[in-house]
Amino acid sequence: MEHRIVGPGPYRATRLWNETVELFRTRMPLRKHRCRFKSYEHCFTAAEAVDWLHELLRCSQNFGPEVTRKQTVQLLKKFLKNHVIEDIKGKWGQEDFEDNRHLYRFPPSSPLKPYPKRPPYQKEVIKFPEWNDPPPGTSQENIPVRPVVMNSELWFKRHSIAIGEVPACRLIHRRQLTEANVEEIWKSATLSYLQKILGLDSLEEVLDVKLVNSKFIIHNVYSVSKQGVVILDDKSKELPHWVLSAMKCLANWPNCSDLRQPMYLGFEKDVFKTIADYYGHLKEPLLTFHLFDAFVSVLGLLQKENMAIEAFQICCLLLPPENRRKLQLLMRMMARICLNKEMPPLCDGVGTRTLMVQTFSRCILCSKGEVDLDDLLAARLVTFLMDNFEEILKVPLALQTSIEERVAHLRRVQIKYPGADMDITPSAPSFCRQISPEEFEYQRAYGSQEPLAALLEEVVTDAKLSSKEKKKKLKQFQKSYPEVYQERFPTPESEALLFPEKPKPKPQLLMWALKNPFQPFQRTRSFRM
């Protein structure tokens, strides 16, 4: 019984539902049964359905071996309500399915869950805001465009690095980053990192980006104790003192030899019931309603454990600080109770680990609307959290370092070259307008060459430039724009006219030759004896 792995992405709960329904309808064994002296073909008993589906869910990597028989019965109740199955008399629509010998069958057609229709989205990659980006909320429409008019000096400055010269520069401090700028950087980087891990084109299908609070992210990163637990500024949002005392009691349960051992039997069960009642009456699950799809989507990465841990780290940073703190304290208590061999059974007939998952899964992850697999998905998530809560509830160091380096980079000074901003000649505002195809072809062919030809003519006629500097600029222009240069100087002779050769001076004769031009050579007396 192979269950295809449903990876991360939008509508993962719906995809899991349809996948499970298809497998159940196509592979559930059917046979002949008798009931009240009557035979029924192609049917199954409730117990047979529970046995088969329970085994399917436990062997599936989408749900895992922690699925209980009780959860399987709950799923079959939802199958009956949604007409995936019906009783032998054709009745359905009620959740009165029980684990017994009652006969059920498949209807002729079993409708699958439709995917919700949402407005189309564009493929997007969340980017870091730049230091000179306009403030949030400002519109970029109808802003006049200031064209750049380049003269020879400005052109030379912009090409000086390519030539090999670096002009004089000055340092200019960037504008001060505001608190809103830093918050936007944290939000953008965190969501971009999550989108990259999930491998999605957009987060809009699994997360409402507008509901993400950047202040929560920053608080969850920096306002923590030495143990990594979030510290709240508003103490009214703390756990009640009596709940926190009860959680500490079970988390630090004493050994039998300890004198502080409670004096009556069942004390630990009463304490556990107190904690369960408090968390069971929360108005919203700890992972919040609007992050339900994001956490369910991350469950598709559990086969890649390291990636799943990173994705859960990011998602947990998006939680309100009070929710993150309650989740941290609860997961620590649950893990310590499961590892404490001295802890008496907290429920008869149910293992401690299974009890923890069944009791707290719904207060940790739950959807606002009706989702048919939310119980199984919550159990799967809580099981993974219990095994990896120390890593998941840590601040992702790679993300924190990346953002801090980005903020530091934006606060550094920048290098400005002379003429980078001040040499631009202002002109009247110009706006975009539609042109004809013929005009476009003409501008493409000649529009860029005319300014370049004018620029070349400026270099040629500039009397302030020395011959050496002019030759250097012309050589660079010829290398960058050979067609324009060839049109101005079609032959080497035309180029040579720009730099006429100066007449070479005649070599001067030696002074002794001019004094006695016709004196014959005379042999001098040798000094050799």
Side-chain angles (χ1 to χ4, degrees):
M1 294 183 295
E2 296 182 359
H3 204 147
R4 183 175 58 89
I5 299 176
V6 178
Y11 319 118
R12 186 173 184 271
T14 305
R15 288 186 287 144
L16 279 173
W17 169 271
N18 291 340
E19 178 77 11
T20 306
V21 168
E22 289 181 350
L23 285 175
F24 184 53
R25 281 181 56 86
T26 56
R27 300 188 182 182
M28 172 66 197
L30 305 177
R31 62 188 182 88
K32 182 179 179 180
H33 288 83
R34 290 183 61 86
C35 180
R36 296 180 181 179
F37 307 104
K38 189 176 181 179
S39 298
Y40 297 94
E41 298 286 345
H42 307 294
C43 58
F44 51 86
T45 65
E48 290 173 349
V50 174
D51 292 338
W52 192 91
L53 187 58
H54 185 215
E55 184 65 20
L56 173 70
L57 297 176
R58 292 183 71 255
C59 295
S60 170
Q61 297 186 25
N62 294 313
F63 300 103
E66 302 290 337
V67 178
T68 63
R69 190 175 182 88
K70 182 179 178 181
Q71 291 173 333
T72 307
V73 173
Q74 294 296 324
L75 179 58
L76 284 167
K77 286 183 177 181
K78 295 179 179 180
F79 279 1
L80 181 60
K81 181 180 179 181
N82 290 274
H83 205 195
V84 177
I85 60 176
E86 62 184 17
D87 73 356
I88 204 63
K89 296 181 181 180
K91 294 180 180 180
W92 61 278
Q94 301 292 330
E95 293 189 4
D96 54 357
F97 184 93
E98 295 182 3
D99 191 356
N100 53 25
R101 301 293 298 174
H102 194 74
L103 294 180
Y104 292 90
R105 66 187 181 190
F106 292 118
S109 62
S110 179
L112 300 178
K113 291 282 186 180
Y115 296 107
K117 292 184 179 180
R118 296 184 180 180
Y121 64 93
Q122 297 179 350
K123 184 174 181 180
E124 60 176 351
V125 178
I126 302 173
K127 71 179 187 67
F128 286 106
E130 298 293 338
W131 72 276
N132 54 353
D133 282 350
T138 58
S139 175
Q140 293 295 314
E141 299 179 358
N142 300 326
I143 296 181
V145 180
R146 186 173 64 176
V148 179
V149 180
M150 298 179 64
N151 53 29
S152 60
E153 185 178 359
L154 177 59
W155 178 87
F156 176 69
K157 290 173 181 176
R158 293 197 174 184
H159 291 75
S160 58
I161 295 179
I163 296 173
E165 298 179 0
V166 179
C169 61
R170 59 193 177 94
L171 298 180
I172 297 181
H173 290 273
R174 302 186 174 198
R175 67 174 174 85
Q176 184 67 28
L177 283 178
T178 64
E179 183 179 354
N181 297 142
V182 177
E183 291 176 359
E184 184 63 26
I185 291 173
W186 270 95
K187 178 178 177 179
S188 301
T190 304
L191 294 179
S192 178
Y193 196 51
L194 178 61
Q195 178 180 334
K196 180 180 179 182
I197 295 177
L198 295 179
L200 302 178
D201 293 336
S202 174
L203 290 177
E204 293 294 334
E205 296 293 339
V206 299
L207 178 66
D208 190 349
V209 178
K210 296 179 181 178
L211 297 179
V212 176
N213 193 325
S214 56
K215 295 182 183 294
F216 292 169
I217 302 174
I218 298 176
H219 187 100
N220 291 332
V221 170
Y222 293 107
S223 299
V224 294
S225 65
K226 295 181 179 179
Q227 293 75 26
V229 180
V230 175
I231 301 175
L232 301 180
D233 297 331
D234 187 358
K235 300 304 179 183
S236 64
K237 297 181 180 180
E238 288 274 9
L239 280 170
H241 178 70
W242 51 274
V243 176
L244 191 59
S245 299
M247 295 176 68
K248 288 181 178 180
C249 177
L250 292 185
N252 303 314
W253 188 258
N255 295 325
C256 295
S257 58
D258 200 317
L259 296 178
R260 293 175 294 174
Q261 184 74 15
M263 299 303 297
Y264 70 90
L265 294 176
F267 172 79
E268 66 282 350
K269 295 180 181 179
D270 293 341
V271 175
F272 181 75
K273 186 177 182 301
T274 300
I275 302 170
D277 288 344
Y278 171 79
Y279 277 95
H281 288 84
L282 293 176
K283 295 181 180 180
E284 187 180 30
L286 296 179
L287 300 184
T288 70
F289 287 133
H290 84 273
L291 291 176
F292 174 81
D293 290 334
F295 279 100
V296 170
S297 183
V298 177
L299 286 175
L301 294 174
L302 293 189
Q303 292 73 31
K304 304 175 182 178
E305 185 173 327
N306 292 334
M307 291 183 63
I309 290 176
E310 287 186 38
F312 277 129
Q313 284 180 337
I314 303 300
C315 289
C316 289
L317 281 182
L318 308 181
L319 296 174
E322 58 271 18
N323 288 39
R324 182 178 172 91
R325 177 176 173 82
K326 291 177 182 178
L327 180 64
Q328 288 174 320
L329 297 177
L330 178 61
M331 296 310 302
R332 290 191 175 199
M333 182 203 72
M334 294 168 61
R336 289 186 180 183
I337 290 176
C338 292
L339 295 175
N340 190 356
K341 297 181 180 180
E342 302 295 334
M343 174 66 69
L346 298 176
C347 182
D348 299 334
V350 181
T352 303
R353 181 182 174 88
T354 303
L355 178 65
M356 294 293 116
V357 175
Q358 292 181 354
T359 303
F360 297 108
S361 60
R362 192 164 184 82
C363 73
I364 293 177
L365 181 69
C366 179
S367 62
K368 191 172 185 178
E370 182 180 359
V371 178
D372 296 316
L373 294 177
D374 55 356
D375 293 338
L376 293 175
L377 296 174
R380 180 66 164 153
L381 182 140
V382 172
T383 302
F384 190 79
L385 276 178
M386 289 177 59
D387 295 335
N388 304 277
F389 78 97
E390 291 184 351
E391 289 295 325
I392 290 175
L393 295 177
K394 280 183 179 179
V395 176
L397 185 59
L399 175 66
Q400 180 181 356
T401 303
S402 174
I403 297 177
E404 289 176 348
E405 290 178 353
R406 178 66 177 177
V407 173
H409 168 72
L410 294 176
R411 285 173 172 165
R412 294 192 189 106
V413 297
Q414 63 172 337
I415 299 177
K416 282 284 186 180
Y417 294 98
D421 293 325
M422 58 196 70
D423 291 345
I424 298 177
T425 305
S427 62
S430 60
F431 301 90
C432 297
R433 64 179 181 88
Q434 188 174 2
I435 61 176
S436 63
E438 295 77 11
E439 188 176 358
F440 169 76
E441 294 296 334
Y442 176 82
Q443 290 184 4
R444 186 178 66 172
Y446 303 102
S448 60
Q449 294 186 1
E450 291 178 0
L452 291 174
L455 181 63
L456 177 59
E457 197 62 31
E458 273 192 50
V459 177
V460 171
T461 58
D462 193 348
K464 297 180 181 180
L465 294 176
S466 64
S467 297
K468 183 177 181 182
E469 292 176 349
K470 188 176 293 187
K471 287 182 179 180
K472 200 170 190 179
K473 289 187 177 183
L474 290 176
K475 184 177 180 181
Q476 177 62 28
F477 192 97
Q478 182 183 15
K479 185 178 179 182
S480 301
Y481 310 104
E483 296 179 356
V484 180
Y485 191 87
Q486 181 67 23
E487 187 177 354
R488 175 63 176 81
F489 301 106
T491 60
E493 290 76 10
S494 60
E495 185 179 4
L497 292 175
L498 187 61
F499 303 101
E501 295 184 1
K502 297 180 180 180
K504 296 182 179 180
K506 294 182 179 180
Q508 298 180 356
L509 298 177
L510 297 178
M511 296 302 295
W512 63 270
L514 294 176
K515 293 180 180 179
N516 302 302
F518 304 106
Q519 183 176 355
F521 176 77
Q522 296 180 358
R523 185 186 297 267
T524 59
R525 184 176 180 178
S526 175
F527 292 99
R528 187 180 298 174
M529 301 301 295

